[in-house]
Amino acid sequence: MKRRHFIKNASLTGVGIAIGATVSSCRNSSEEKPILPKHNQNSKAILPVVVATWHVEEATAKAMEVLKAGGNALDAVEQGCMVEEANEKGQSVGKGGLPDREGNVTLDACIMDKHGNCGAVVYLKDITHAVSVARKVMEDTPHVMLAGEGAKQFAVSSGFKPEDLLTEASKKAWEKWKVEAKYKPIINIENHDTIGMLAIDKNGDISGACTTSGLAYKMAGRVGDSPIIGSGLFIDNEVGGAVATGLGEEVVKTVGSFLIVELMRQGKSPQEACEEAIGRIVNKPGKDYKDFQVGYIALNKKGETGCYSIHQWFSMTKFQDGVNEQIQSDFYNKA
Ligand code: ASP
């Protein structure tokens, strides 16, 4: 049981999330007023460090292995994200991702290094490791972003092997959806996720990456926040980095990851910056935040971390000081 399902089941049974000894507690969803932020209890200034959205301990372990072997943060986040892209059981990333409403699995990803270089792919089909194609765009082309057929052609010419990303399980889920939802794209807080990862290496340099198949059963051609530099991911080696998961449309409208990095530049902690960025979304007039999910994680150059979300079903995995653990996010919950 991974990521969202684990978290949801745990909160439904009242068990709470208790992986490792130092998990911060979930808020009481029955309170009527906005609950004051409970800061990430585990935030320490220790390097090297890897953080990722959701419960992805194998991915953060891989990234830390790269760092411990002397690798840099860019290699760490790429290889960490690749673990989840190859995991067919995860139906929101890479191979086995849930398709759009026409049955196409289309991937979005981006990566950003300590120099502010970045690369992205959008609407990429048939290539599992979208994050690696994004890195190739950054390193081997004069561009930042490649889309669709051009992105696939570039990937193939760079040596990536095309394969069918629609697994039997995802095909079945899509067929069930077609019958139940009558072909209508629905915005909900299920059926999507992004693996976003931030790492600082032994030189104190930060990099970040994110990868997703986007919203399940989205309209063909839909692209979310994840490949958009500044929205789904932003890195500034003077300050730190941030990455988003959840309804990309809301993240794009507030340029969430760039906002968080800029708030940290102005002196906010990663936790405070994530909370303010969620505030920019939920405090818009008429915004019914109960209908969708957004979660942010952030890391500053000292190695301090933050995570915050609109609902309780969000967690961060952190590998720091020899401990690889899942941390439940605090969340906004105005009754
Ligand atoms: N942010 C992704 C998108 O909107 C999906 C997710 O992270 O849940 O495509």
Side-chain angles (χ1 to χ4, degrees), residues 42-300:
N42 298 320
S43 193
K44 303 174 198 157
I46 296 174
L47 300 176
V49 57
V50 178
V51 285
T53 53
W54 303 111
H55 184 208
V56 289
E57 283 169 32
E58 281 169 34
T60 48
K62 179 73 205 177
M64 187 53 83
E65 184 190 311
V66 172
L67 295 181
K68 290 277 181 200
N72 62 35
L74 187 67
D75 292 332
V77 293
E78 181 191 3
Q79 290 188 41
C81 285
M82 286 171 72
V83 169
E84 284 299 317
E85 288 178 333
N87 172 14
E88 293 183 24
K89 288 193 186 131
Q91 289 181 298
S92 64
V93 176
K95 187 155 184 174
L98 290 169
D100 66 17
R101 62 180 180 170
E102 316 298 337
N104 303 303
V105 181
T106 66
L107 306 182
D108 298 334
C110 74
I111 195 161
M112 194 162 184
D113 74 7
K114 63 179 178 179
H115 300 299
N117 296 315
C118 45
V121 285
V122 308
Y123 200 78
L124 177 68
K125 285 192 205 165
D126 301 331
I127 307 286
T128 296
H129 292 301
V131 72
S132 302
V133 185
R135 182 169 177 175
K136 284 264 174 209
V137 172
M138 174 174 88
E139 292 180 340
D140 296 354
T141 79
H143 308 305
V144 164
M145 189 180 287
L146 291 180
E149 197 47 38
K152 182 177 165 185
Q153 277 171 20
F154 168 72
V156 171
S157 70
S158 302
F160 291 84
K161 219 174 103 253
E163 57 182 327
D164 188 359
L165 302 184
L166 188 64
T167 55
E168 269 313 305
S170 292
K171 193 172 172 198
K172 260 196 195 150
W174 169 59
E175 276 161 355
K176 188 163 175 269
W177 170 83
K178 274 201 295 187
V179 175
E180 286 172 0
K182 302 191 175 63
Y183 198 66
K184 202 170 159 229
I186 300 168
I187 295 303
N188 61 20
I189 59 175
E190 298 295 320
N191 290 339
H192 55 86
D193 283 337
T194 297
I195 300 307
M197 191 176 280
L198 307 166
I200 302 181
D201 58 31
K202 66 175 176 8
N203 299 322
D205 292 320
I206 185 167
S207 292
C210 64
T211 183
T212 188
S213 50
L215 299 183
Y217 323 126
K218 59 198 172 187
M219 291 174 69
R222 182 265 184 190
V223 171
D225 61 309
S226 303
I228 310 294
I229 299 296
S231 291
L233 170 74
F234 197 71
I235 297 292
D236 185 320
N237 206 34
E238 282 181 12
V239 179
V243 67
T245 181
L247 185 62
E249 282 76 359
E250 295 301 327
V251 176
V252 167
K253 284 175 202 166
T254 49
V255 200
S257 294
F258 181 75
L259 172 64
I260 290 169
V261 172
E262 288 308 297
L263 290 167
M264 292 195 293
R265 190 193 306 281
Q266 290 161 21
K268 295 221 185 285
S269 70
Q271 185 64 36
E272 289 165 344
C274 288
E275 287 168 14
E276 185 160 339
I278 290 291
R280 295 280 175 102
I281 297 173
V282 294
N283 291 327
K284 284 213 175 112
K287 186 61 69 183
D288 200 354
Y289 65 88
K290 289 205 173 89
D291 292 343
F292 59 84
Q293 163 86 10
V294 172
Y296 288 115
I297 65 171
L299 175 64
N300 69 15

